[in-house]
Structures are given as structure tokens and as C-alpha cells.
């Protein structure tokens, strides 16, 4: 089940998928942490013979490794991108209290390209995903994600669907405006002035 994302969905917008980095990105860090713990317990007898400072060092190493693993897990879960039917939200967590969020609308995506390099990437099915955009910004790339070929196909499909919707929206918008104007036409002068006042309030809120 998808967890509730830490951002506000727009009208008619739905979360399609939440994509995390491949586990290969944190496995070396976990391996080193386990090695340090093994060495710490291997030297436990010697450290305990040294008195209080040896016991303190032994406990400090364990606490430091636990803290590092918890921090690693926190950053792994927080660094992801969220794919909706309208946009891609890139969430970058660089620390416990610092993060960046970047939005990419699907109608700006010309093409998504999967880049898989190396034997390990081919075996464990991870790679980079590059988004070619139709504005002045350069390509945006997501590194070491699982199954980039599948995501490439999904994003390209969503981008095409969104482009069709955007193309049809002006006609739908024109019909909506016509309906609203027809309703306003039957109002009296006071009611029309109230409508104008409310529209002006909305425009000021959106500035």
C-alpha cells in the first residue's frame, strides 16, 4: 500500500507510484557497519580489561553504528520520487532537517530514457532514469533506481496521456466559462457585483 505523501495533491491528481533508490546504494554502508560491529565484539574482552574507558569505547562504537544505520535508513526512505498522473515530485533529503522538493510536470517531459551500465546493474536490474524536458532546463536524472526500463515506459505513457489532456483542456475550459456566464446572465445587478467581488478576492489570493 502506498503511504500518504508529504505534499498536497491537486484536484483530480492521484499518486501512481513511489520510487526509491535500489538497495545497492546502501549495501556497502551496511556491510562496513556490520564489519565494525564484529570487530568491536571481537575486541570486547580486551576492551573490558582496560577498565572504564574500554567499556565506554565498546559502548560508544555500538551506539555510533546504530545511529549511522538509523540515519542511513531514514535518508533511504526520504530520498525518492513520487509519480502521479500529472507530475513527478523529486524529494531529496540531505539531512534530518534539510530537504529539497522539485516538481516536473509530465506535459514538459519529451522523453524518459533508461540508462543501464555495467554487469552488476544488468544483474540486479538497476540504473539511471534521464528525463528530457521541453524547456530551457537540461535533462534531469535519477540515479540508481530499480527497474528503470519499466519506469521509462510508464513515464512515457503518462506523459503522452497528459499531453492529450492538456490539448483538450482549452476546449473544456471554454465550455465551462460559457456555462458560468450563462448562469451569471440571469442574476440581478447586486448579485453580479457580489460575483465580481469574489472573483477579485480569488485573484488577489493567487497573486
Amino acid at each position: 500500500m502506498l503511504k500518504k505523501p508529504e505534499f498536497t495533491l491537486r484536484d483530480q491528481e492521484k499518486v501512481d507510484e513511489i520510487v526509491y533508490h535500489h538497495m545497492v546504494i546502501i549495501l556497502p554502508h551496511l556491510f562496513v557497519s556490520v564489519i565494525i560491529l564484529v570487530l568491536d565484539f571481537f575486541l570486547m574482552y580486551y576492551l573490558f580489561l582496560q577498565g572504564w574507558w574500554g567499556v565506554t569505547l565498546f559502548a560508544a562504537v555500538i551506539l555510533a553504528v546504530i545511529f549511522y544505520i538509523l540515519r542511513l535508513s531514514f535518508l533511504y526512505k526520504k530520498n525518492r520520487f513520487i509519480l502521479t498522473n500529472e507530475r513527478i515530485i523529486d524529494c531529496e533529503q540531505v539531512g534530518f532537517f534539510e530537504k529539497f522538493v522539485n516538481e516536473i510536470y509530465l506535459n514538459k517531459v519529451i522523453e524518459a530514457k533508461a540508462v543501464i551500465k555495467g554487469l552488476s546493474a544488468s544483474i540486479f536490474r538497476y540504473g539511471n532514469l534521464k528525463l528530457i524536458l521541453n524547456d530551457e532546463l537540461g535533462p534531469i536524472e535519477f540515479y540508481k533506481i530499480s527497474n528503470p526500463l519499466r519506469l521509462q515506459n510508464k513515464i512515457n505513457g503518462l506523459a503522452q496521456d497528459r499531453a492529450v489532456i492538456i490539448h483538450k483542456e482549452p476546449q473544456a475550459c471554454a465550455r465551462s466559462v460559457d456555462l458560468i456566464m450563462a448562469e451569471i446572465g440571469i442574476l440581478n445587478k447586486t448579485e453580479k457585483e457580489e460575483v465580481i467581488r469574489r472573483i477579485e478576492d480569488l485573484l488577489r489570493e493567487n497573486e
Side-chain angles (χ1 to χ4, degrees):
M1 180 181 296
L2 294 175
K3 295 182 179 180
K4 183 178 179 182
E6 300 173 358
F7 65 94
T8 303
L9 291 172
R10 304 174 187 274
D11 294 338
Q12 308 300 322
E13 185 179 19
K14 298 179 180 179
V15 173
D16 188 279
E17 186 173 353
I18 299 178
V19 181
Y20 298 93
H21 291 287
H22 193 277
M23 285 293 294
V24 71
I25 204 169
I26 64 170
L27 285 178
H29 302 275
L30 292 177
F31 178 76
V32 172
S33 299
V34 171
I35 293 299
I36 292 174
L37 277 179
V38 170
L39 289 174
D40 191 39
F41 279 96
F42 180 77
L43 296 173
M44 179 177 64
Y45 179 73
Y46 171 77
L47 291 173
F48 275 44
L49 288 178
Q50 308 309 309
W52 67 267
W53 72 265
V55 175
T56 302
L57 179 60
F58 174 79
V61 170
I62 293 177
L63 291 176
V65 170
I66 292 175
F67 174 80
Y68 183 75
I69 292 176
L70 290 176
R71 180 180 181 275
L72 190 65
S73 176
F74 172 80
L75 294 178
Y76 174 78
K77 296 295 290 183
K78 289 295 183 179
N79 281 278
R80 78 276 193 212
F81 74 82
I82 300 150
L83 179 62
T84 77
N85 59 325
E86 294 185 10
R87 55 186 170 149
I88 300 170
I89 300 97
D90 180 23
C91 303
E92 295 185 26
Q93 189 87 29
V94 296
F96 285 112
F97 307 106
E98 185 178 5
K99 65 179 179 180
F100 302 95
V101 178
N102 184 34
E103 296 182 354
I104 306 160
Y105 285 90
L106 289 171
N107 62 303
K108 291 184 176 293
V109 176
I110 297 176
E111 184 182 11
K113 292 183 177 181
V115 181
I116 300 175
K117 294 182 179 180
L119 180 61
S120 63
S122 299
I123 293 174
F124 296 106
R125 301 175 66 190
Y126 70 87
N128 302 339
L129 185 68
K130 182 181 294 185
L131 302 181
I132 311 299
L133 308 180
N134 63 1
D135 54 20
E136 296 180 356
L137 296 175
I140 294 178
E141 194 162 3
F142 302 106
Y143 296 96
K144 292 186 179 179
I145 59 174
S146 299
N147 205 342
L149 286 173
R150 180 184 63 82
L151 289 168
Q152 167 191 288
N153 296 331
K154 174 178 280 192
I155 291 175
N156 284 333
L158 288 172
Q160 291 176 2
D161 293 342
R162 190 60 190 163
V164 171
I165 293 173
I166 293 294
H167 178 71
K168 293 180 178 179
E169 278 182 352
Q171 297 177 354
C173 181
R175 289 195 297 270
S176 298
V177 171
D178 290 340
L179 290 173
I180 293 172
M181 292 305 299
E183 294 289 336
I184 293 177
I186 63 177
L187 301 177
N188 59 40
K189 182 179 179 181
T190 302
E191 291 171 333
K192 289 177 181 177
E193 290 175 348
E194 176 65 16
V195 171
I196 292 173
R197 185 187 66 78
R198 293 192 181 185
I199 292 175
E200 290 175 344
D201 290 341
L202 287 175
L203 291 174
R204 281 194 292 268
E205 290 177 0
N206 294 329
E207 290 179 351

